[in-house]
Amino acid sequence: MSLAGKTILMSGGSRGIGLAIALRAAADGANIAMLAKTDTPHPRLEGTVHTAADAIRAAGGQALPIVGDVRDDDHITEAVLKAQGEFGGIDIVVNNASVIDLSRSTDLAAKKYDLMQDVNVRGTFMLSRAAVPVLRQAPNPHILSLSPPLNLSPKWLGAHTGYTLAKYGMTMATLGIAAEFADDGIAANTLWPRTTIATAAVQNLLGGDRVMAASRTADIYADAAYAVLTKPAASYTGQTLIVEDVLEADGVTDFSKYAAVPGTPDDRLYPDIFLD
């Protein structure tokens, strides 16, 4: 199955994993509508929704950059209507937008807690919900959220409680949607990597150059997402998927090409959080 002619509505995506997923789909000739806040260059982060759209077009896809905030219900409604109006429907929703803060509970600012809940949990739920009536009309509708499996080990529950709540909330929303709309044939799954991915968040928040060098590129996430989104929706839903497991199930056994620093052996890569 191919994503040629399919329409993806994505939250965020100006850079990093979201953009990598968009570019992988664009290589098939997919249509990508991006709801993202970054309208002008950020002093510390590369990319805007407009540069992402240019890259999507260069990769072979069609792009619809939508400047907006996934926390705003009107912006969500506008994004769904614009994507449907521009491309004739929506086949896939990717809940990529996410805020990270690994502060301990007593150090976490209340505003940052609220921001993580609003973007990660509420944004995932509201964007998915708003797209459901359009997804019902698609031949193979998928919702994919970039969030982890629900690991109730105290190691992860207590590591950064505010962030854990927000990421697990994304997963709970997605699994709930999978169950609620199973009879409509809408697949909803989550996807999370075994190792850290070389993104700005890893660079700035998780360990700088040392962890970046021990990470994999966003291409591995993009290839796994592509594999998920081309599966039959009716039978491939309600799962908390791991990037490497998805690729291994499709016959990929050598992940060396995804090392951020070529030649880094797998046992030297940094494990991602939430996985034992």
Side-chain angles (χ1 to χ4, degrees):
M1 193 177 293
S2 166
L3 295 182
K6 301 289 187 180
T7 295
I8 298 174
L9 174 59
M10 178 183 292
S11 62
S14 298
R15 62 186 69 88
I17 293 166
L19 180 56
I21 291 172
L23 293 177
R24 179 65 183 86
D28 272 9
N31 311 311
I32 319 292
M34 283 184 167
L35 173 63
K37 286 179 61 181
T38 312
D39 185 34
T40 57
H42 188 281
R44 295 181 59 198
L45 300 171
E46 292 184 3
T48 69
V49 67
H50 306 295
T51 60
D54 290 341
I56 288 165
R57 296 183 188 111
Q62 300 294 318
L64 177 63
I66 304 168
V67 178
D69 192 333
V70 77
R71 295 175 294 172
D72 188 309
D73 293 345
D74 290 339
H75 292 181
I76 287 175
T77 300
E78 180 184 15
V80 170
L81 293 176
K82 280 187 172 181
Q84 183 182 29
E86 180 75 13
F87 300 122
I90 297 172
D91 298 279
I92 294 163
V93 171
V94 176
N95 292 301
N96 164 72
S98 184
V99 176
I100 180 172
D101 190 318
L102 301 181
S103 298
R104 304 286 289 178
S105 294
T106 52
D107 298 323
L108 180 63
K111 286 185 177 179
K112 184 57 74 71
Y113 174 89
D114 291 341
L115 180 63
M116 288 193 291
Q117 287 290 319
D118 284 348
V119 173
N120 300 10
V121 187
R122 191 180 189 279
T124 293
F125 176 78
M126 290 297 181
L127 184 62
S128 301
R129 183 182 76 164
V132 161
V134 189
L135 288 171
R136 282 191 176 116
Q137 303 169 34
N140 194 49
H142 278 269
I143 295 170
L144 183 65
S145 300
L146 309 190
S147 60
L150 301 174
N151 186 345
L152 299 185
S153 164
K155 172 183 178 180
W156 297 118
L157 287 176
H160 26 64
T161 303
Y163 180 61
T164 299
L165 281 167
K167 293 307 287 189
Y168 285 9
M170 288 180 72
T171 299
M172 289 291 290
T174 306
L175 294 177
I177 288 166
E180 185 174 358
F181 298 104
D183 289 344
D184 293 294
I186 300 173
N189 297 288
T190 69
L191 188 63
W192 195 250
R194 271 188 217 150
T195 74
T196 51
I197 303 297
T199 62
V202 168
Q203 176 72 54
N204 297 330
L205 300 172
L206 290 183
D209 292 341
R210 179 179 63 87
V211 177
M212 286 285 280
S215 299
R216 288 183 169 133
T217 67
D219 289 341
I220 191 171
Y221 221 136
D223 287 348
Y226 180 89
V228 173
L229 298 174
T230 52
K231 295 284 193 298
S235 59
Y236 199 82
T237 186
Q239 301 185 65
T240 55
L241 301 162
I242 303 301
V243 163
E244 289 83 353
D245 292 347
V246 169
L247 294 175
E248 286 171 350
D250 279 0
V252 179
T253 57
D254 182 5
F255 297 134
S256 60
K257 69 176 182 178
Y258 298 115
V261 175
T264 304
D266 287 355
D267 61 4
R268 298 293 298 277
L269 296 174
Y270 201 83
D272 209 342
I273 58 178
F274 299 122
L275 301 182
D276 294 333

